[in-house]
Amino acid sequence: MTIAEDARLNIQPCTDQAGTATTISPKPYRWVVLGIAFTALLITFLDRLAWANANLLASKSLGLPLAELGVFVTAFYVGYVAANALAGFVTDRIGSRRMLFLALAPLAAATFMFGFTSSFAMGLALQAMMGVFAGADYAAGVKILASWFEPSERGRALGLYLTAPSIGVILANAVFPSALDLVDWRALYWGLGALTAIGALTCLVALTDSPDEMVRNATGMPSTDSGDWRRGLSLVARNKNLVLIAIAGFGANWGTWGFAFWATALMVRGHQLTRVDAGAVTAIFGVAAAVAKPLYGYLSDRLGGKRRSLVIYDLIGFCIMLVVFGQIESKGAFLLAAPLLGVTAFIYSPLLAALITESVDRS
């Protein structure tokens, strides 16, 4: 590793406990970190998107109207928003690796238990718990990637990381409808709970919070990063850019996940598409987003300070496509509009995440 690379990664020459000089090059490991963080986020999205396909069957099984079970989505996001608001402070205190484990392990338990739901109250409580734990991993994932990737690479890194929601949409709508023709909706949640538990253990065993920590672990040097949640809270309160990014993200995610959760059911009920056909439309929506998101992130890296403008252009296009999608009625038209809506509905997310890390870096 060159001196320039050492400086860029904030790694200094060091000695081990015996006083022997050591040379550590953790930089390639950043792709392993990205892969694990991506997988963790993907799993949490599979857990939440299962309901978009299982809700019709659950409605019949529980003897409850679909509109009433729609409150489950609200319960999930009440927990999710609360967790997102607090998880960043906890991550600063305990580190990304532990935060990811503490998010996924309880999520695994709550997802598995949801398969035993026997009443509206039980389902509501478990969905709220799932929301809390699913929302706790995002800040940890963004922080660990910001630690491992320098600013000039963060657009593409976060673009790849945030393809996880899009690929989650693809997998959920390509796999779950067919799976639910073979197994009960309860078995789907039991399987997802087991998968989430495996993801939690992988995060705990295989992740390292930063290149500096990898060096300290290899050389036996003590940690010097204790995290200061009070400084983080003060930063958020004083940083106008963070507040504006949060407002933009709120509105954008409202449109994205409102569509993702309800599109399948509304196409089935409102336009008489089969569950598999409606799932195919939503899967195409996700495919387009998965392809476009890292490309848009890479474009933002190449254009330097143009991330804000790129977000604005995308959100304008997203608004237009939501209106267009709401006016069409045939399967063919849905299939044509889905990729355009998928692109605009997701590509803002890596840019907003990069803007957040850069805003904090400058503070």
Side-chain angles (χ1 to χ4, degrees):
M1 179 179 284
T2 66
I3 295 175
E5 288 172 328
D6 287 346
R8 191 167 58 205
L9 285 172
N10 196 28
I11 298 174
Q12 302 299 324
C14 56
T15 60
D16 60 20
Q17 290 178 325
T20 304
T22 55
T23 302
I24 303 224
S25 180
K27 188 179 179 183
Y29 185 71
R30 72 195 191 282
W31 298 109
V32 176
V33 173
L34 175 58
I36 296 172
F38 167 88
T39 302
L41 188 62
L42 173 62
I43 289 171
T44 68
F45 272 86
L46 290 175
D47 290 345
R48 78 182 68 180
L49 291 168
W51 184 244
N53 290 277
N55 52 16
L56 295 174
L57 295 176
S59 175
K60 296 178 181 178
S61 173
L62 297 174
L64 296 170
L66 183 60
E68 188 171 336
L69 292 183
V71 180
F72 283 10
V73 177
T74 301
F76 180 96
Y77 273 98
V78 167
Y80 184 84
V81 170
N84 268 273
L86 298 174
F89 301 120
V90 179
T91 300
D92 286 341
R93 189 67 178 174
I94 68 174
S96 299
R97 179 179 67 90
R98 292 178 182 174
M99 187 71 244
L100 285 168
F101 173 75
L102 292 176
L104 266 66
L107 176 61
T111 302
F112 189 86
M113 288 301 300
F114 188 75
F116 293 99
T117 298
S118 58
S119 68
F120 175 78
M122 180 180 178
L124 195 68
L126 285 170
Q127 281 288 330
M129 291 174 61
M130 289 171 64
V132 168
F133 301 124
D137 77 321
Y138 178 75
V142 171
K143 179 172 182 177
I144 200 169
L145 293 179
S147 297
W148 279 94
F149 287 86
E150 58 191 283
S152 64
E153 294 181 319
R154 284 181 193 166
R156 70 201 77 173
L158 289 167
L160 290 168
Y161 172 60
L162 290 172
T163 59
S166 309
I167 292 176
V169 171
I170 298 168
L171 291 177
N173 288 282
V175 176
F176 291 169
S178 298
L180 289 169
D181 287 337
L182 301 175
V183 301
D184 185 66
W185 68 272
R186 298 178 186 276
L188 177 64
Y189 277 94
W190 295 335
L192 287 170
L195 177 65
T196 307
I198 294 170
L201 290 174
T202 302
C203 289
L204 184 65
V205 171
L207 281 179
T208 304
D209 281 339
S210 67
D212 285 347
E213 182 176 325
M214 177 174 277
V215 171
R216 288 193 297 267
N217 290 342
T219 60
M221 297 178 66
S223 174
T224 58
D225 183 12
S226 61
D228 186 351
W229 67 268
R230 287 175 292 270
R231 179 180 178 276
L233 184 60
S234 174
L235 175 64
V236 170
R238 292 184 289 106
N239 193 319
K240 182 183 73 172
N241 286 336
L242 283 178
V243 174
L244 293 175
I245 292 169
I247 293 171
F250 174 84
N253 279 280
W254 182 298
T256 296
W257 298 112
F259 176 89
F261 269 105
W262 287 107
T264 298
L266 292 175
M267 282 186 284
V268 171
R269 288 287 181 89
H271 299 284
Q272 289 72 53
L273 271 67
T274 67
R275 190 168 62 245
V276 172
D277 284 343
V281 172
T282 314
I284 292 171
F285 166 82
V287 169
V291 173
K293 198 177 295 186
L295 295 177
Y296 211 56
Y298 177 74
L299 176 64
S300 76
D301 285 340
R302 294 300 298 264
L303 294 179
K306 301 294 185 180
R307 296 197 213 275
R308 183 176 67 91
S309 297
L310 290 173
V311 170
I312 293 170
Y313 299 148
D314 173 56
L315 293 181
I316 292 171
F318 184 26
C319 292
I320 293 171
M321 284 309 304
L322 281 174
V323 173
V324 170
F325 201 89
Q327 302 303 311
I328 59 181
E329 298 184 0
S330 68
K331 175 186 171 182
F334 283 129
L335 290 171
L336 288 174
L340 293 175
L341 181 59
V343 169
T344 57
F346 280 101
I347 58 175
Y348 63 81
S349 55
L351 274 61
L352 287 179
L355 285 171
I356 290 170
T357 63
E358 290 163 4
S359 182
V360 172
D361 284 345
R362 289 192 295 266
S363 299

